[in-house]
């Protein structure tokens, strides 16, 4: 058996778990294997984005509609009912390359940049509440399985489903992806989610964990596989065209922002891992609370200047919000900003779409030089801190409170919980679907699985589906058998 090594040839002890401070602690910067994988992934494609290359952008505003958030966070954008914050939103597909159709089956990126008075807050999510993985160290491998094969230079069902068959926690997201919502008919008619768990802290220093849900006010609309293929065949930018036309007609789309919150006491008593992004929180136990409305009403004048150069990072926080120990989020805090430094250059934050325009005077720091430095490049001002020249000073106030972390440093599997099952929520999602949607889900999966030739892959995937729901797995197996009998 060939041994897996780092780029320098050192053996890799664990390629499934990031190094953390104990089983429940945050991911550590000392995990050079994790950083090497993420940094290499960010530099594999130039000049387009590694993922989310096909995108549509729009400006708008967020308006607070409820006082409830003010008691939960000291984020100034939630100060008062009626307060508005400018926003830039970018919708996207995940795996396609520039020029590909935007109507294909794929998760949709739902990324928001809020230009708050305390700086930019980026919420970089999808149109699904969950994701395929719970640990960022597996993200480069997942993307490689979805992208172009090194030999055939095409997306290979063998690779897509082979990875899935070795990744049981992906069962929930695959059920979302191959269900109706994997083929939205319109960017205006899909929900958006922050997906990860974040920390909110209020003015009194009290903490809650929070999840973000943007519920479309236009209603959900999806397409069939055949319709999506037909539309994508004659209009690669079908969703973008529909979105642009709606804005031109002043049919401005909106979403209601709702949040779920969990106290630290509830988190400690939880029977599931609230930081596992492959899971959702029960809305009965953690009900949705309405806090505001997002409205989009202004298209950028130049696509490249705004939509193409928009740079989002989950690490862009403002006072009142911070990260959680979610392992995938922890990896994204590094990977997304690093990808933009590679793609656009170290000064990409000075571009108009990325500039913290809500802050009087803009960003104030000691960054100088590099690609596209200017305008002024800081002039005569010194570029170090501390100094005696009257330069910007640290505030002494953290954006969030952090959380306790204690444990032996190393590569740990996630902590165990009474409800650790990777299949239960996928089964619940399947049973929530009506008969027609279940049939469409099974057909969508079978279309991909019928092309798989690698031994053992189909059997493992069907096994996962049966563990979610017997009818789910049996339905896929029966349809595959019927298709094979016709050959």
């Amino acid at each position: 058996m060939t041994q897996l090594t780092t780029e320098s040839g050192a053996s890799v002890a664990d390629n499934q778990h990031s190094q953390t401070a104990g089983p429940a602690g945050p991911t550590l910067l000392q995990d050079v294997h994790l950083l090497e994988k993420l940094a290499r992934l960010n530099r594999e494609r130039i000049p387009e984005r590694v993922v989310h290359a096909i995108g549509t952008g729009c400006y708008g505003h967020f308006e607070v509609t409820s006082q409830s958030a003010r008691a939960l966070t000291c984020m100034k954008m939630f100060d008062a009912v009626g307060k508005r914050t400018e926003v830039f939103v970018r919708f996207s597909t995940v795996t396609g390359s520039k020029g590909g159709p935007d109507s294909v089956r794929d998760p949709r990126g739902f990324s928001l940049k809020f230009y708050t008075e305390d700086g930019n807050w980026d919420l970089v999510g999808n149109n699904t509440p969950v994701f395929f993985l719970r640990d960022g160290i597996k993200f480069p491998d997942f993307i490689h399985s979805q992208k172009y094969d090194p030999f055939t230079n095409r997306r290979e069902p063998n690779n897509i489903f082979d990875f899935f068959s070795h990744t049981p926690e992906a069962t929930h997201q695959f059920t979302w992806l191959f269900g109706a919502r994997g083929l939205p008919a319109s960017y205006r008619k899909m929900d958006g989610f922050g997906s990860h768990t974040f920390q909110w802290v209020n003015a009194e220093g009290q903490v809650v964990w929070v999840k973000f849900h943007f519920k479309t006010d236009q209603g959900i609309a999806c397409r069939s596989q055949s319709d999506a293929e037909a539309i994508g065949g004659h209009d690669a930018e079908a969703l973008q065209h529909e979105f642009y036309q709606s804005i031109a007609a002043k049919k401005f789309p909106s979403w209601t922002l709702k949040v779920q919150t969990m106290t630290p006491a509830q988190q400690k008593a939880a029977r599931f891992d609230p930081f596992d992004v492959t899971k959702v929180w029960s809305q009965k136990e953690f009900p949705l609370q309405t806090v505001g409305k997002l409205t989009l009403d202004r298209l950028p004048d130049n696509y490249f200047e705004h939509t193409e150069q928009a740079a989002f990072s989950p690490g862009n926080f403002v006072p009142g919000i911070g990260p959680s120990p979610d392992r995938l989020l922890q990896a994204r805090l590094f990977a997304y900003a690093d990808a933009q430094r590679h793609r656009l250059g170290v000064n990409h934050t000075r571009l108009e779409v990325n500039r913290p325009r809500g802050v009087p005077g803009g960003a104030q720091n000691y960054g100088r030089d590099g690609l596209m430095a200017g305008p002024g490049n800081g002039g005569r001002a010194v570029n170090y801190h501390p100094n005696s020249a009257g330069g910007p000073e640290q505030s002494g106030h953290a954006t969030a409170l952090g959380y306790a972390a204690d444990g032996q440093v190393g590569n740990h599997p996630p902590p165990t919980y009474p409800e650790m099952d990777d299949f239960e929520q996928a089964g619940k999602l399947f049973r929530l679907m009506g008969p027609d949607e279940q049939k469409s889900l099974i057909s969508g999966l079978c279309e991909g699985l019928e092309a798989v030739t690698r031994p053992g892959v189909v059997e493992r995937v069907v096994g996962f589906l049966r563990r979610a729901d017997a009818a789910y797995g049996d339905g896929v197996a029966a349809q595959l058998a019927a298709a094979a009998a016709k050959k």
Side-chain angles (χ1 to χ4, degrees):
M1 180 178 66
T2 304
Q3 188 175 71
L4 180 66
T5 73
T6 64
E7 296 288 347
S8 64
S11 64
V12 174
D14 191 333
N15 195 44
Q16 302 302 310
H17 307 106
S18 303
Q19 288 190 26
T20 56
T27 305
L28 302 176
L29 188 61
Q30 73 172 36
D31 191 343
V32 294
H33 178 52
L34 168 67
L35 299 187
E36 182 177 86
K37 289 182 70 174
L38 294 174
R40 169 172 275 279
L41 178 71
N42 284 339
R43 290 158 175 81
E44 286 180 358
R45 304 280 188 276
I46 51 175
E48 72 177 29
R49 300 169 194 255
V50 175
V51 290
H52 299 278
I54 303 168
T56 297
C58 192
Y59 285 99
H61 64 268
F62 174 79
E63 182 173 345
V64 179
T65 60
S66 168
Q67 291 275 17
S68 59
R70 188 176 182 183
L72 300 171
T73 177
C74 60
M75 295 174 73
K76 290 181 182 177
M77 61 178 280
F78 292 105
D79 272 355
V81 171
K83 185 169 184 177
R84 288 189 173 189
T85 300
E86 185 182 9
V87 179
F88 184 79
V89 175
R90 189 176 186 273
F91 307 111
S92 57
T93 60
V94 176
T95 58
S97 294
K98 291 284 290 180
D102 62 10
S103 55
V104 296
R105 186 182 296 281
D106 211 358
R108 294 306 191 277
F110 197 106
S111 298
L112 306 100
K113 186 180 295 291
F114 298 85
Y115 300 100
T116 86
E117 60 202 277
D118 277 333
N120 292 348
W121 170 42
D122 289 358
L123 188 63
V124 191
N126 289 316
N127 69 331
T128 60
V130 294
F131 196 66
F132 300 90
L133 311 168
R134 63 169 63 96
D135 195 317
I137 202 168
K138 298 172 74 170
F139 185 73
D141 301 297
F142 165 66
I143 295 301
H144 288 162
S145 75
Q146 309 296 302
K147 285 280 194 176
Y148 306 107
D149 181 84
F151 172 65
T152 65
N153 195 39
R154 65 185 292 269
R155 298 184 66 205
E156 291 288 352
N158 270 329
N159 299 343
I160 293 168
F161 286 100
D162 187 23
F163 185 86
F164 175 26
S165 76
H166 291 285
T167 313
E169 71 260 31
T171 306
H172 194 185
Q173 175 71 319
F174 265 80
T175 303
W176 275 93
L177 174 61
F178 283 90
R181 299 201 186 187
L183 291 167
S186 167
Y187 288 136
R188 300 179 302 116
K189 298 179 180 180
M190 66 181 191
D191 291 340
F193 302 88
S195 300
H196 298 289
T197 300
F198 297 91
Q199 184 196 78
W200 260 359
V201 55
N202 66 14
E204 288 72 44
Q206 298 167 324
V207 166
V208 293
W209 302 110
V210 60
K211 281 185 175 288
F212 299 97
H213 303 245
F214 289 85
K215 312 299 287 186
T216 176
D217 296 326
Q218 290 70 236
I220 298 289
C222 304
R223 285 198 176 103
S224 67
Q225 181 73 41
S226 58
D227 285 347
E229 291 172 353
I231 290 168
H234 70 78
D235 185 358
E237 294 81 27
L239 268 67
Q240 177 169 289
H241 286 172
E242 190 272 345
F243 186 85
Y244 272 43
Q245 289 167 357
S246 72
I247 300 295
K250 298 189 183 302
K251 296 178 181 178
F252 301 137
S254 63
W255 288 259
T256 299
L257 174 58
K258 301 186 177 186
V259 298
Q260 289 177 288
T261 61
M262 178 186 295
T263 67
Q266 289 173 314
Q267 176 242 318
K268 291 178 181 178
R271 295 180 57 79
F272 66 99
D273 185 354
F275 309 121
D276 182 348
V277 74
T278 69
K279 305 288 192 298
V280 296
W281 295 1
S282 166
Q283 293 184 17
K284 291 182 179 179
E285 189 174 357
F286 304 98
L288 294 171
Q289 307 170 56
T290 298
V291 297
K293 187 174 291 290
L294 167 71
T295 303
L296 301 181
D297 55 13
R298 180 167 63 90
L299 294 171
D301 291 330
N302 184 280
Y303 180 91
F304 184 87
E305 182 184 2
H306 298 265
T307 304
E308 187 63 23
Q309 293 192 118
F312 300 88
S313 170
N316 287 346
F317 295 118
V318 296
I321 187 168
S324 75
D326 177 336
R327 294 190 183 195
L328 186 65
L329 173 61
Q330 292 273 321
R332 293 178 76 207
L333 299 179
F334 162 77
Y336 274 60
D338 185 57
Q340 305 304 340
R341 285 188 287 268
H342 166 63
R343 190 174 69 91
L344 297 172
V346 72
N347 289 305
H348 68 273
T349 55
R350 300 176 187 178
L351 296 169
E352 180 61 21
V353 68
N354 302 319
R355 181 177 60 82
R357 58 182 70 181
V359 179
Q364 302 292 327
N365 56 49
Y366 297 95
R368 302 287 189 274
D369 307 339
L371 219 59
M372 298 194 302
N377 193 35
R380 299 183 179 186
V382 300
N383 62 343
Y384 58 88
H385 182 269
N387 63 70
S388 304
E393 291 290 341
Q394 61 197 34
S395 70
H397 302 295
T399 59
L401 288 188
Y403 43 84
D406 183 22
Q408 181 70 29
V409 168
N411 298 98
H412 299 283
T416 58
Y417 285 80
E419 297 175 9
M420 281 286 291
D421 188 89
D422 286 323
F423 309 102
E424 179 182 353
Q425 291 194 359
K428 288 180 177 178
L429 178 59
F430 176 78
R431 290 186 290 276
L432 280 172
M433 297 177 181
D436 289 343
E437 191 173 358
Q438 288 181 350
K439 183 179 178 180
S440 176
L441 166 63
I442 288 170
S443 295
L445 278 165
C446 287
E447 184 175 344
L449 288 168
E450 285 172 18
V452 172
T453 59
R454 200 165 291 160
V457 171
V458 172
E459 291 77 8
R460 287 194 296 270
V461 170
V462 171
F464 289 168
L465 304 181
R466 282 184 170 133
R467 292 180 68 179
D469 187 285
Y472 186 9
D474 290 346
V476 170
Q479 187 162 321
L480 290 174
K486 294 178 181 178
K487 292 181 180 179

